[in-house]
Amino acid sequence: MATTTVSNIQTVLKNLWPQNRVENEVYPDHPFLSRITKDENFVGTDIKLVVRIGDGQGRGVTLTSAQSRASAPQYRRFSLTRSKNYQVFRIEGEAIEAAKNDVGSLVRTLDDEIKGSINNITKDLAVNMFRGRSGNIGSIGSVVGGPPATITLSNVADVTSFEVGMILVASATSTGANRATPATATITKVNRATGVLTFADGTFAGTNWAAADFLSVSGDNANGVALNFGNKALGLADWLPVTDPSGGENFLDVDRSVDRTRLAGIPLDISSYLPEEGALYAVMECDRNGARPRDFVVNHTDYQSVLNSLGTKAVTKYEGTGQVGFQTIQINGPKGPVSMYLDQDCPAGVGYCLDMRTWKLYSLGPAPKMLELDGLPMLRLTDDDAYEGRMGYYANLGCTAPGFNAVVTMPSS
């Protein structure tokens, strides 16, 4: 006698969909971006950010000597212009109609596309706030021609900046020309535990991509164009470089080598310290230079290193901005407590001790926003039964006192 099996009745079995919504797993929280002050009135051509880096030196033990040394105060003026960034999505008309309510789909297609697009461009902006105008989002540890064709990131923590479908380019230097073979490479898989990116077989046949190369999304980086440091907005890495500015450099019309600290921030290497001792040293150095630091932002690996080192001595506090909340380690600084918090967008091994009074994200309207000056949030395509939505921003990161902030090389975990 024949036995009825699942395969026999496959056509009449139901598909069960127990969820009432699809969860977003694409890094929805960005603590540093949420904490920075926003100025959405960046009209005109540019913004002038003036820094006073020196007082007049007309002082002496006699009136005559003081008069002979009289000099004007020293100022420098950064000229900040806007950077552009766009996000585009397209949806077929039938898809919108078929999934416009909960009966037809777990997600309402249009609503989900809009939320996903906002999430993607916001994530890109959050990463940009740290890594800056170069567009670099990681570097190569090793390349395997395959199969499978893979890249292992030199820093596993950088994997949070990479997504399936992302089109990458590589360059030997942060602003150098793109490698030629292949000109681009599209990610097909991401291993978030090991930092391994997988590509289609044959991608790296005869490749000249190499260990230590910089990785960027195609079009974001400088690609060797003269006087172009990249196409993205400025980030902490630009305002607070680890290496000293070279003499005669032009950063927003300013030669920062004149006074490295007051024009390009405080570079600190605490890699040889115990994590908690190094963090306190960074806070003290900011205070010594006149700052009132309140934020110390690091990657998860560096936060854990400090927390583990402190053990039961750790003092923590839960803080939040808007809908973004996070736990902080409290560092007792000379001008009050400093909150160390983690942000996956901050590169591992680098921390930033910041006086947030000196930072603003300047933009024309919200960043990001729907681009709909004509009143049309969606554009009907002329050659297809589909619609296109556009988002973007015109913005840049500005600092009114770089010398009140530190870029910190963290202890290895």
Side-chain angles (χ1 to χ4, degrees), residues 245-251 253-257 264:
S246 57
E249 77 150 16
N250 184 338
F251 178 78
D253 297 336
V254 173
D255 177 1
R256 297 183 294 177
S257 68

Side-chain angles (χ1 to χ4, degrees), residues 291-359:
R292 293 182 180 177
R294 290 290 181 270
D295 286 43
F296 200 139
V297 57
V298 295
N299 189 274
H300 286 64
T301 56
D302 298 309
Y303 183 92
Q304 182 177 350
S305 178
V306 175
L307 193 61
N308 288 346
S309 185
L310 282 168
T312 58
K313 297 183 293 181
V315 177
T316 60
K317 178 182 177 182
Y318 187 82
E319 300 182 32
T321 304
Q323 296 181 348
V324 179
F326 37 84
Q327 198 79 10
T328 64
I329 299 172
Q330 297 295 292
I331 302 170
N332 290 321
K335 293 177 181 174
V338 177
S339 296
M340 174 178 282
Y341 57 94
L342 49 82
D343 192 320
Q344 79 271 357
D345 303 314
C346 182
V350 179
Y352 292 95
C353 189
L354 304 172
D355 187 333
M356 293 298 284
R357 300 173 304 164
T358 68
W359 297 94

Side-chain angles (χ1 to χ4, degrees), residues 54-354:
D55 297 327
Q57 295 303 300
R59 191 208 60 77
V61 295
T62 66
L63 179 60
T64 300
S65 61
Q67 288 174 328
S68 67
R69 298 166 188 167
S71 61
Q74 293 291 312
Y75 299 94
R76 292 297 185 274
R77 183 178 67 188
F78 296 105
S79 297
L80 187 71
T81 57
R82 292 180 292 272
S83 177
K84 301 176 183 179
N85 204 7
Y86 300 99
Q87 172 83 31
V88 174
F89 63 91
R90 289 184 175 182
I91 314 177
E92 184 185 46
E94 183 181 6
I96 297 174
E97 295 282 0
K100 67 180 180 181
N101 58 46
D102 295 337
V103 175
S105 174
L106 272 175
V107 296
R108 299 187 181 187
T109 305
L110 180 57
D111 181 60
D112 194 58
E113 282 282 356
I114 292 173
K115 289 180 179 178
S117 294
I118 290 174
N119 196 69
N120 190 56
I121 193 171
T122 301
K123 165 66 177 174
D124 184 78
L125 175 60
V127 172
N128 193 172
M129 289 296 93
F130 289 97
R131 296 183 179 271
R133 58 183 175 174
S134 71
N136 305 150
I137 55 175
S139 62
I140 297 175
S142 61
V143 181
V144 176
T150 64
I151 283 175
T152 300
L153 297 173
S154 60
N155 192 328
V156 175
D158 288 344
V159 75
T160 58
S161 296
F162 295 85
E163 300 289 342
V164 172
M166 191 175 278
I167 303 173
L168 302 181
V169 295
S171 56
T173 63
S174 61
T175 59
N178 292 348
R179 296 290 197 184
T181 309
T184 63
T186 303
I187 301 173
T188 59
K189 294 180 183 179
V190 178
N191 188 321
R192 301 197 178 276
T194 63
V196 174
L197 312 177
T198 301
F199 304 81
D201 288 343
T203 298
F204 296 118
T207 185
N208 60 356
W209 292 31
D213 277 3
F214 292 85
L215 294 170
S216 307
V217 174
S218 179
D220 286 353
N221 62 325
N223 193 16
V225 177
L227 302 180
N228 180 10
F229 295 95
N231 299 313
K232 305 296 287 294
L234 295 168
L236 294 175
D238 300 306
W239 282 101
L240 308 174
V242 174
T243 57
D244 292 344
S246 57
E249 77 150 16
N250 184 338
F251 178 78
L252 307 183
D253 297 336
V254 173
D255 177 1
R256 297 183 294 177
S257 68
V258 172
D259 192 323
R260 194 272 189 247
T261 294
R262 291 178 179 171
L263 292 172
I266 310 164
L268 299 173
D269 187 342
I270 63 170
S271 59
S272 62
Y273 289 70
L274 290 174
E276 73 275 18
E277 292 178 354
L280 180 59
Y281 169 67
V283 171
M284 290 295 185
E285 281 298 291
C286 286
D287 177 80
R288 190 172 69 85
N289 281 279
R292 293 182 180 177
R294 290 290 181 270
D295 286 43
F296 200 139
V297 57
V298 295
N299 189 274
H300 286 64
T301 56
D302 298 309
Y303 183 92
Q304 182 177 350
S305 178
V306 175
L307 193 61
N308 288 346
S309 185
L310 282 168
T312 58
K313 297 183 293 181
V315 177
T316 60
K317 178 182 177 182
Y318 187 82
E319 300 182 32
T321 304
Q323 296 181 348
V324 179
F326 37 84
Q327 198 79 10
T328 64
I329 299 172
Q330 297 295 292
I331 302 170
N332 290 321
K335 293 177 181 174
V338 177
S339 296
M340 174 178 282
Y341 57 94
L342 49 82
D343 192 320
Q344 79 271 357
D345 303 314
C346 182
V350 179
Y352 292 95
C353 189
L354 304 172

